[in-house]
Amino acid sequence: DAKTTQPPSMDCAEGRAANLPCNHSTISGNEYVYWYRQIHSQGPQYIIHGLKNNETNEMASLIITEDRKSSTLILPHATLRDTAVYYCIPRGAGNMLTFGGGTRLMVKP
Amino acid sequence: GAVVSQHPSWVICKSGTSVKIECRSLDFQATTMFWYRQFPKQSLMLMATSNEGSKATYEQGVEKDKFLINHASLTLSTLTVTSAHPEDSSFYICSARSGAWEAFFGQGTRLTVV
């Protein structure tokens, strides 16, 4: 599995966009980039995933660089409930998810 | 997204006793289920992977005789912590997946062994 590098923590003002970066320079061609988040004392929640095209859903947008070595998760209008640890996980189809340290996002009023 | 239900949400047990945790996929058939453990301020660590009807595959360092996993149906997997000790106190989380698609997680079970 590809290794990832995420900043350990970030702050964001409520109502502003939160941009969470992830470096996955060793990602292989068949690995998707998955994003999950974990709110305190809960199980992880699936957010979004992509292979090479940018993706958007009701929760977030995922921007993947052309060389696929990095990606950015965008929460367009962060709320206090978005405070959580965000995990970027490259994963091949059928493989298990391996969690790294993630980014602790603190949304502040 | 799909719903995975884990029960109980928390449990306190005496040292030396066994505890069973259930994980159910409510609206899909889970061909594969995963069990994770998470200690305070740490990330999730995969304990084992189980496919329906097969024996679980344990990660290195996880004792299969201590953490019994049963995946007898496509909607239910159980994790039994046998002869629990205080060092087994942790947050246990299951995950279920159908085929190669994204996995969904239960809400977790906080186990405290006293």
Side-chain angles (χ1 to χ4, degrees), chain A residues 37-106:
Chain A
R37 72 180 182 184
Q38 186 178 25
I39 295 169
H40 184 62
S41 294
Q42 296 183 24
Q45 176 188 21
Y46 166 79
I47 301 173
I48 199 168
H49 75 281
L51 184 62
K52 52 183 177 181
N53 296 323
N54 297 338
E55 302 288 343
T56 295
N57 63 19
E58 64 278 4
M59 289 184 69
S61 293
L62 174 60
I63 309 298
I64 303 173
T65 58
E66 196 170 337
D67 62 9
R68 300 208 330 120
K69 292 185 176 181
S70 66
S71 61
T72 301
L73 179 75
I74 301 173
L75 308 178
H77 305 286
T79 70
L80 298 179
R81 289 180 295 180
D82 292 322
T83 292
V85 179
Y86 287 77
Y87 297 98
C88 158
I89 307 172
R91 197 202 94 177
N95 292 349
M96 70 277 198
L97 292 165
T98 301
F99 287 79
T103 295
R104 186 173 297 277
L105 176 68
M106 180 74 71

Side-chain angles (χ1 to χ4, degrees), chain A residues 38-44, chain B residues 9 38 91 93 106-110:
Chain A
Q38 186 178 25
I39 295 169
H40 184 62
S41 294
Q42 296 183 24
Chain B
S9 298
Q38 185 176 33
F91 192 51
I93 307 166
Q107 69 269 40
T109 297
R110 186 160 302 283

